Amino acid sequence: MRSLSFVKAGMAACLFAAMSFAAADASANLLVNPGFEVGPLVDDGSGVGKWQPFGGAGVALPTLSAQDTVMPLSGTGHLNLQLDNIGASFAGTYQDVGGLSAGQIVTWEGWTKDAGQDAGGAEIRIEWRDSVGNTEISRTGNLVPTLTAGVYTPWSLVDAVPAGADTARVVYAIQSFGAGPNQIHYVDDTSVTVVPEPASMALLGLGALAMIRRR
Ligand SMILES: [Ca+2]
């Protein structure tokens, strides 16, 4: 029987290994064109490997631009979402991130600069989809970030992949159903990161502990 301190050291090593694994895994940004540097956005109905723009009737589809020398947050471009005095409508974009499994924790985050006259119309969400059946399983509620006018502000949405879903459709939209009709949002430096489900993390730690005890 090994000493208690040895076991404790082993457990600490396991925890460290599990945390390191999670940190390394979570660092990979799964989005394509996350900083909106490559354009224009193509409206072909697909969000696989690209940003798919969408909008209500009469609304200009989102574009990529560099409207202000202070912006974008990084690089030479950012997403440009505008509702130009159009009430009861919407504009946005989405991208599909596939290859996920139930229980994984997904974080969808980025930065927004509110450059319009009206605030409070953002809708940030994840629509969980089954890519085989091409159906939506469920969706998160809408995150409505509190933005500071004229300043890039970070936002973050975290949720677990539900059973039956393998794809996260990450959506950023603005709408004038519940907010004013003059909205301009510049969005930049977005990311989607994934950490293993807690069960896998626990198994990883137990496996490492068993190996140490066996020595
Ligand atoms: Ca950028």
Side-chain angles (χ1 to χ4, degrees):
M1 179 88 183
R2 297 287 184 180
S3 70
L4 189 60
S5 62
F6 182 86
V7 174
K8 280 182 177 174
M11 290 176 72
C14 291
L15 186 62
F16 180 75
M19 289 173 68
S20 300
F21 180 78
D25 199 53
S27 65
N29 188 352
L30 301 179
L31 289 175
V32 175
N33 200 15
F36 303 100
E37 299 299 309
V38 183
L41 299 184
V42 179
D43 177 18
D44 62 1
S46 172
V48 178
K50 60 180 276 292
W51 294 108
Q52 165 64 28
F54 61 86
V59 174
L61 288 181
T63 58
L64 303 188
S65 58
Q67 296 278 346
D68 188 312
T69 55
V70 179
M71 297 174 289
L73 186 59
S74 70
T76 58
H78 59 78
L79 178 67
N80 182 2
L81 289 174
Q82 298 203 18
L83 286 173
D84 186 10
N85 200 26
I86 300 176
S89 195
F90 57 93
T93 189
Y94 68 80
Q95 184 170 148
D96 289 347
V97 176
L100 304 175
S101 53
Q104 288 182 318
I105 306 300
V106 173
T107 301
W108 159 225
E109 56 192 351
W111 296 73
T112 296
K113 180 170 183 172
D114 184 358
Q117 297 172 30
D118 297 326
E123 288 191 352
I124 299 168
R125 64 177 173 271
I126 301 174
E127 298 173 0
W128 297 111
R129 300 186 63 82
D130 164 23
S131 67
V132 178
N134 194 27
T135 54
E136 181 177 314
I137 303 299
S138 62
R139 60 176 64 188
T140 67
N142 287 315
L143 170 67
V144 184
T146 301
L147 303 174
T148 302
V151 178
Y152 267 106
T153 307
W155 46 265
S156 181
L157 176 63
V158 182
D159 196 28
V161 181
D166 63 4
T167 298
R169 174 168 290 179
V170 295
V171 181
Y172 192 110
I174 54 176
Q175 52 79 24
S176 54
F177 297 98
N182 291 304
Q183 297 177 48
I184 303 174
H185 283 200
Y186 299 148
V187 183
D188 206 359
D189 287 6
T190 61
S191 67
V192 169
T193 52
V194 178
V195 295
E197 59 271 42
S200 295
M201 297 280 290
L203 286 173
L204 188 73
L206 286 173
L209 186 60
M211 285 177 67
I212 289 171
R213 278 183 168 162
R214 212 171 285 137
R215 286 183 181 173

